[in-house]
Amino acid sequence: SAVISQKPSRDICQRGTSLTIQCQVDSQVTMMFWYRQQPGQSLTLIATANQGSEATYESGFVIDKFPISRPNLTFSTLTVSNMSPEDSSIYLCSALRDSTDTQYFGPGTRLTVL
Amino acid sequence: AQTVTQSQPEMSVQEAETVTLSCTYDTSESDYYLFWYKQPPSRQMILVIRQEAYKQQNATENRFSVNFQKAAKSFSLKISDSQLGDAAMYFCAYRSAFWGGADGLTFGKGTHLIIQP
């Protein structure tokens, strides 16, 4: 498995502001991913973050709203920009363990936008 | 695009009994991975079991086993000797195994498993 940490674990923010979520993996990984889990819902992929290249966004998600950085093979950040109450969700980071083609998840960040 | 369907929003089972959670998927790909993840109230996503589509043998992990029917595109999870700690949301997920295919996971809507003491 992989040990993945996220900061912050939760936050309450005002609309119109931005929040950056950090994700740290205990070993080098090729691919990292960001997912959103809206209240009572399943997980939806926001984007794939590969080191050294631009993130690849899924339909319905855009870079201006969810800019992502991947400066090295163990770290990534997701920014939720110009937040509105509809952005209130759990945001989860995951990393792909290449040897098993399996994704492991961080503990998530619970975001509430007022 | 691939889709994953979990038709049971909620299941309840007595402690020590066996329960089966259903999952079906739709894909035109021949090689892929299927997963079951567990999400307790702590919201941490925990891998339960993994199946490679090209392997006919069903995966097992201790009390957890799957019934993988590739032709029927079915991937059910059986939990034997249910324990109180098994109570959680269970998500079925799909990932392409093709180079250049979708790298992320496609999830079903989840099944809420309740364990009755």
Side-chain angles (χ1 to χ4, degrees), chain A residues 75-88:
Chain A
F75 187 78
S76 180
T77 67
L78 169 76
T79 299
V80 186
S81 303
N82 188 26
M83 289 184 285
S84 67
E86 291 71 34
D87 294 321
S88 297

Side-chain angles (χ1 to χ4, degrees), chain B residues 14 22 39 43 47 51 80 110:
Chain B
Q14 291 287 331
S22 300
Q39 187 179 43
R43 77 174 179 261
L47 176 68
Q51 175 79 43
S80 303

Side-chain angles (χ1 to χ4, degrees), chain A residues 9-10 31 33 35 37 41-43 45 90 92 96 100-108 110, chain B residues 33 35 37 39 41-47 50 52 91 95 103-110:
Chain A
S9 60
R10 61 176 61 225
M31 289 185 178
F33 305 86
Y35 292 83
Q37 186 176 25
Q41 303 295 315
S42 184
L43 283 74
L45 180 66
I90 297 171
L92 297 109
L96 180 69
T100 59
D101 267 310
T102 299
Q103 289 187 28
Y104 296 92
F105 286 82
R110 183 183 294 276
Chain B
Y33 301 96
F35 306 87
Y37 285 89
Q39 187 179 43
S42 67
R43 77 174 179 261
Q44 173 75 58
M45 291 288 286
I46 301 166
L47 176 68
R50 168 182 176 273
E52 299 172 46
F91 292 98
R95 179 174 183 265
D103 295 311
L105 293 166
T106 300
F107 285 90
K109 292 184 180 299

